Amino acid sequence: MKGVNDPMTDADVKAQQMIVGLLHKAFGTDLKIVGEEDCDTPPVSLNPNTSLIDPSKVPEEFKSVSKSDVVVFVDPLDATKEFTDGNLPAVMSLVGISYKGKSVAGVMFQPFVNNEDESNGVTMYGMLGMGCFGVTPKRRDGKELVIATTKSHSTPELEKAVSHLNPAKVLNVGGAGYKSLLVLKGEIDGYIFPITGTKKWDSCAPEAIIKAAGGKLTDKYGRDLPYFVDSPQPNDDGIIVTLQNHEEIISKLGFKTQ
């Protein structure tokens, strides 16, 4: 247990061990991985499925890359607080891939969502230059601004920033992946969190999918986030996620670089 609003469960550890174990089995133990949980990675018996993406559809710039330029960021159970509270649709596993410090591909998996064929789990993934899959991006067309922000980490600075936007509606929900999904589905105009609280493993996968869909994920100043293996893990300048009108929202927030 990390804290009341940031718990850790046995599910977090076991999920990370499985994800990292499969990545090691597929791509070797020298693949650089940054995971949320500090745990060992025992060998796994399962064989990873590496045939999801048709290699012919991968953009040329990513068809032949040096493994040393790749870092994988893993959040085994995003929205753990929602998991412990029973709000299961907000729970996701996030796997983001960076290349030369830029988020370029990602997977978001909702394990507790039921499908029409009665199977469980929804997988969404995307790559720059290839698009996103598993979700149909939709830009919200409402005239009034609707945003989402944190459910459990609010501060006076956050409340002030939100007031600058004068939104018609604010959803307070958990999970960086889930709030990014609400943006992708057009249910909200933006995910607004211009303070510290998220980490690189929270933002790398959603950023790639959002960008593959034509949107943006930046810090509160509109700058790209760095995703090197030794990049600071906290996103100290927050994250802002949109499919449209990104610069307008950044401007209204009113943050000025030092």
Side-chain angles (χ1 to χ4, degrees):
M1 179 72 72
K2 299 176 187 177
V4 173
N5 291 323
D6 188 21
M8 180 182 73
T9 68
D10 188 48
D12 291 82
V13 174
K14 289 184 176 179
Q16 178 164 311
Q17 289 175 328
M18 178 61 70
I19 293 168
V20 175
L22 288 170
L23 287 169
H24 280 167
K25 196 168 187 178
F27 304 107
T29 57
D30 58 337
L31 177 66
K32 289 178 284 197
I33 300 175
V34 178
E36 178 176 11
E37 310 306 337
D38 184 12
C39 60
D40 61 350
T41 305
V44 296
S45 58
L46 295 176
N47 291 314
N49 179 2
T50 58
S51 61
L52 181 64
I53 296 176
D54 181 349
S56 67
K57 295 181 180 180
V58 174
E60 287 298 326
E61 62 181 311
F62 302 133
K63 283 186 175 180
S64 180
V65 301
S66 172
K67 194 190 300 186
S68 63
D69 290 325
V70 175
V71 185
V72 181
F73 291 84
V74 176
D75 188 343
L77 206 65
D78 185 44
T80 303
K81 181 66 163 57
E82 307 304 304
F83 176 67
T84 58
D85 288 347
N87 182 16
L88 299 183
V91 179
M92 292 190 182
S93 294
L94 308 176
V95 180
I97 303 171
S98 76
Y99 175 60
K100 294 184 177 180
K102 301 291 185 182
S103 173
V104 298
V107 179
M108 304 195 306
F109 175 61
Q110 282 182 295
F112 302 111
V113 174
N114 295 323
N115 299 309
E116 293 182 359
D117 62 0
E118 298 185 355
S119 62
N120 290 329
V122 173
T123 302
M124 296 149 281
Y125 61 97
M127 177 182 289
L128 298 191
M130 193 176 73
C132 64
F133 306 87
V135 58
T136 302
K138 179 182 178 182
R139 288 173 170 80
R140 187 174 176 275
D141 56 8
K143 294 181 179 180
E144 295 182 316
L145 186 68
V146 177
I147 66 170
T149 190
T150 182
K151 182 179 180 180
S152 55
H153 296 89
S154 185
T155 67
E157 181 185 8
L158 174 59
E159 293 174 2
K160 182 179 179 180
V162 168
S163 71
H164 288 165
L165 297 176
N166 192 28
K169 186 176 182 181
V170 178
L171 304 181
N172 296 103
V173 294
Y178 184 65
K179 289 189 281 287
S180 298
L181 177 59
L182 294 180
V183 174
L184 279 166
K185 288 184 172 181
E187 295 182 22
I188 60 174
D189 295 289
Y191 163 23
I192 310 300
F193 192 67
I195 60 174
T196 189
T198 63
K199 306 292 197 304
K200 293 298 185 295
W201 46 73
D202 296 308
S203 58
C204 188
E207 177 173 343
I209 298 172
I210 286 284
K211 290 194 300 187
K216 291 186 177 182
L217 186 156
T218 69
D219 70 10
K220 64 186 180 184
Y221 301 114
R223 303 177 302 195
D224 291 335
L225 303 180
Y227 292 99
F228 296 100
V229 70
D230 56 354
S231 295
Q233 293 175 357
N235 295 320
D236 285 335
D237 291 318
I239 59 173
I240 309 298
V241 186
T242 67
L243 278 185
Q244 59 185 344
N245 303 322
H246 195 85
E247 289 74 16
E248 179 182 348
I249 287 176
I250 292 291
S251 177
K252 286 183 177 180
L253 287 171
F255 292 101
K256 306 297 183 183
T257 55
Q258 301 297 319

